């Protein structure tokens, strides 16, 4: 928290596969190195509840177990956010050229479910 009381960070959320989680912990946020989509950027959720509810449905549909991560992003990086609605959820799209602005966040951690 800054002295003025406004937070210096925004927390955003993303559902990732175990492979993407491991890559992210080693290399920060980047396009999928195996070329499996997200070459233009990555989607994030604005709320943990949206991340949890949409990911549970997605995991059930595709028979997988995603890891939901919480990322603290410096407020000055939020100028690169594209806010939109997808399937009724408030999401943030960050273009690949802007991923480095949040690739060294203070915290990337799994969200307890």
């Amino acid at each position: 928290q800054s002295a003025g009381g406004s937070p210096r960070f925004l927390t955003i959320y993303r559902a990732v596969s175990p492979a993407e989680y491991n890559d992210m912990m080693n290399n920060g946020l980047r396009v999928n190195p195996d070329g499996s989509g997200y070459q233009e950027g990555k989607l994030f959720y604005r709320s943990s509840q949206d991340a949890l509810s949409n990911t549970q449905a997605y995991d059930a549909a595709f028979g997988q177990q995603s890891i939901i991560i919480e990322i603290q992003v410096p407020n000055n990086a939020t100028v690169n956010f594209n806010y939109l609605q997808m399937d009724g959820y408030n999401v943030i799209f960050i273009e690949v050229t802007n991923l480095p602005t949040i690739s060294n966040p203070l915290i990337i951690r799994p969200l307890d479910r």
Side-chain angles (χ1 to χ4, degrees), residues 48-94:
S48 58
Q49 192 53 52
D50 282 359
L52 286 166
S53 57
N54 199 27
T55 300
Q56 285 170 341
Y58 187 87
D59 282 358
F62 290 95
Q64 62 187 30
Q65 183 64 42
S66 298
I67 300 167
I68 297 175
I69 56 167
E70 176 181 288
I71 304 171
Q72 284 196 352
V73 181
N75 271 342
N76 61 2
T78 63
V79 297
N80 299 313
F81 288 6
N82 297 302
Y83 296 94
L84 50 120
Q85 283 247 318
M86 187 183 74
D87 300 331
Y89 294 98
N90 292 315
V91 296
I92 296 165
F93 180 75
I94 302 175

Side-chain angles (χ1 to χ4, degrees), residues 91-111:
V91 296
I92 296 165
F93 180 75
I94 302 175
E95 294 171 15
V96 70
T97 53
N98 291 322
L99 285 175
T101 66
I102 63 164
S103 68
N104 292 307
L106 286 186
I107 297 173
I108 296 179
R109 67 179 184 88
L111 191 68

